[in-house]
């Protein structure tokens, strides 16, 4: 038996959520809270619930238009700054000057001295303008932001191999993370050796030391009924029964057990608690194989070369 004082201290500390080191001394939690499509008031309520529950990572973006809500949640939580990790993003396709002003704006909306991780949201503008020169210009502004102490680490999102190569050509600080769509159903699209056309090319990212981080881990924006496949679908729920866990927990566990950090979105406290209860149990090799082999739900995106579905990121010029 632990002495009571030790027990109370351990219980009051933030939950032990494992991390991955994405840059020297920067530890990204393996599970966090997504906030895309939440307005400021929903984001505030969800982030406050999460921070009180012991979440240690919240993912937002300038483009989500909810960072003022996240700022209020952080203040009301009373949590010390070094007990949580914040990721933000600025749009892609910006000049060095516009990138610098967007970075300043993102940080001021959060009302923080620094973010833990700042990403460039897309390899170009949302309509595809920018190209290599803008990617490189924007990266220079991102590096300045780190040097000024305003981000602990910087990274990219929706980047394919060629986009990453543009950055590596000029980088003095390498991207720490590539945040891309990844969920059960996409395993066969991204096997070892699948090459440049694979969905955001997981194998390449790890070969150059960039942490591959999953967005939409539960296929939230997937088309038709696909978005239910990882909530109530047969594969994840039947596996979950063996462990006393829900379908979404199995879908998330498949990723974290493969070393991929996740940021599921929910504003429901019950779901929120489930989504970080991932670290005290282990999927069997057989169940991991079945999840690796799953071909649905399909990636949300377009058909690529040879009728293979892709995330739609790789054709961005
Ligand atoms: N970099 C980018 O461009 C990019 C793109 C997309 C997403 N993201 C990030 O990734 C985050 C997550 O992706 P997402 O928002 O697209 O969708 P998601 O997390 O894949 O799915 C969200 C949906 O799953 C449901 N859900 C979550 N946990 C559940 C549980 N335990 N049981 C049952 N249902 C559950 C939620 O409904 P309830 O509210 O009812 O729980 C919600 O409808 C985003 O919020 C954002 O932060 C980034
Ligand atoms: C934010 O979204 C919620 C849920 O969709 C809605 O009820 C609320 O009115 C919205 N708030 C604002 C200020 O738009
Ligand atoms: C941010 O980038 C946009 C271009 O997307 C630019 O018009 C704007 O001036 C930049 N700065 C701020 C503070 O928004
Ligand atoms: C990738 O797609 C291009 C067409 O966009 C094709 O020419 C090439 O052969 C493909 N590579 C692989 C490895 O499938």
């Amino acid at each position: 038996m632990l002495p009571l004082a030790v027990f109370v201290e351990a219980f009051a500390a933030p939950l032990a959520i494992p991390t991955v080191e994405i840059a020297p001394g920067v530890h990204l939690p393996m599970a966090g809270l997504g906030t895309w499509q939440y307005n400021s008031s929903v984001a505030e309520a969800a982030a406050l619930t999460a921070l009180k529950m012991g979440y240690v990572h919240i993912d937002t973006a300038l483009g989500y238009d909810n960072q003022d809500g996240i700022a209020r949640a952080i203040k009301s939580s009373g949590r010390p700054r070094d007990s949580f990790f914040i990721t933000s993003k600025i749009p892609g396709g910006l000049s060095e000057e516009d990138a610098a002003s967007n970075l300043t704006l993102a940080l001021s909306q959060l009302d923080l001295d620094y973010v833990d991780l700042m990403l460039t949201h897309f390899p170009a503008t949302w309509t595809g303008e920018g190209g290599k020169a803008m990617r490189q210009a924007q990266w220079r502004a991102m590096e300045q932001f780190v040097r000024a102490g305003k981000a602990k680490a910087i990274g990219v999102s929706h980047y394919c191999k060629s986009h990453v190569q543009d950055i590596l050509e000029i980088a003095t600080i390498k991207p720490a993370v590539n945040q891309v769509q990844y969920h059960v159903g996409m395993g066969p699209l991204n096997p070892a050796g699948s090459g440049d056309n694979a969905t955001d090319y997981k194998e390449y990212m790890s070969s150059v030391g960039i942490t591959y981080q999953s967005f939409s881990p539960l296929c939230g924006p997937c088309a038709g009924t696909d978005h239910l496949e990882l909530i109530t679908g047969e594969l994840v729920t039947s596996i979950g029964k063996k462990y006393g866990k829900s379908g979404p927990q199995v879908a998330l566990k498949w990723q974290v057990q493969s070393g991929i950090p996740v940021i599921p979105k929910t504003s429901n406290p019950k779901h929120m608690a489930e989504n970080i209860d991932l670290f005290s149990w282990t999927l069997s090799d057989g169940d991991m194989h079945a999840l690796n082999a799953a071909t649905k739900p399909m990636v949300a995106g377009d058909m690529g070369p040879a009728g293979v579905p892709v995330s739609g990121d790789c054709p961005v010029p």
Side-chain angles (χ1 to χ4, degrees):
M1 264 276 283
L2 287 172
L4 184 61
V6 173
F7 176 76
V8 169
E9 190 178 60
F11 189 73
L15 302 184
I17 295 178
T19 59
V20 53
E21 189 171 28
I22 56 170
V26 184
H27 300 272
L28 173 69
M30 291 299 290
L33 181 77
T35 65
W36 177 42
Q37 295 165 320
Y38 284 167
N39 63 24
S40 295
S41 46
V42 175
E44 178 179 354
L48 182 57
T49 305
L51 288 168
K52 285 184 168 167
M53 196 180 279
Y55 269 65
V56 288
H57 178 206
I58 294 172
D59 180 88
T60 183
L62 186 57
Y64 296 174
D65 232 348
N66 63 19
Q67 295 200 123
D68 57 325
I70 307 288
R72 287 192 295 275
I74 290 170
K75 288 222 163 46
S76 350
S77 78
R79 289 264 300 262
R81 179 64 187 92
D82 62 0
S83 76
F84 59 86
F85 188 110
I86 297 290
T87 299
S88 182
K89 318 180 190 82
I90 59 162
L94 301 180
S95 67
E96 191 167 345
E97 198 185 6
D98 280 347
S101 62
N102 277 256
L103 286 164
T104 302
L105 178 63
L107 190 60
S108 74
Q109 286 183 353
L110 286 165
D111 204 10
L112 294 173
D113 296 330
Y114 68 91
V115 290
D116 299 276
L117 177 62
M118 180 63 81
L119 306 178
T120 168
H121 211 144
F122 201 69
T125 68
W126 292 115
T127 47
E129 292 99 34
K132 175 175 177 175
M134 295 295 241
R135 275 192 283 284
Q136 295 184 336
Q138 177 154 356
W139 192 253
R140 291 191 182 94
M142 301 281 284
E143 292 189 344
Q144 283 304 322
F145 199 64
V146 172
R147 290 199 186 92
K150 294 176 179 174
K152 300 283 185 200
I154 48 178
V156 297
S157 180
H158 290 271
Y159 269 48
C160 280
K161 179 181 177 180
S162 68
H163 307 134
V164 169
Q165 285 173 325
D166 293 345
I167 303 299
L168 295 180
E169 254 178 40
I170 55 109
T172 62
I173 302 172
K174 194 175 80 165
V177 158
N178 189 9
Q179 186 186 108
V180 297
Q181 183 185 171
Y182 199 59
H183 48 73
V184 168
M186 290 175 66
L189 296 179
N190 222 333
S194 58
D196 295 12
N197 294 328
T199 300
D200 298 317
Y201 206 176
K202 180 151 65 72
E203 195 185 50
Y204 172 74
M205 299 307 152
S206 71
S207 77
V208 291
I210 296 176
T211 298
Y212 190 86
Q213 181 190 21
S214 150
F215 73 60
S216 302
L218 299 175
C219 219
C222 293
T225 54
D226 276 9
H227 73 284
L228 292 175
E229 192 65 39
L230 302 183
I231 311 292
T232 53
E234 171 63 19
L235 177 65
V236 290
T237 56
S238 65
I239 292 175
K241 279 199 189 92
K242 302 189 227 170
Y243 303 86
K245 302 293 174 191
S246 70
Q249 286 177 300
V250 169
L252 298 171
K253 179 67 179 180
W254 172 69
Q255 303 217 54
V256 299
Q257 194 165 315
S258 314
I260 300 173
V262 294
I263 42 173
K265 173 183 73 178
T266 182
S267 53
N268 174 325
K270 179 177 167 283
H271 296 168
M272 218 179 263
E274 280 184 14
N275 294 352
I276 48 168
D277 174 17
L278 303 174
F279 304 106
S280 60
W281 52 289
T282 304
L283 289 166
S284 70
D285 288 349
D287 290 333
M288 285 297 285
H289 286 311
L291 293 159
N292 285 337
T295 53
K296 61 181 187 173
M298 211 162 76
V299 55
D302 307 317
M303 279 301 174
V308 178
V310 295
S311 62
D313 299 339
C314 295
V316 173

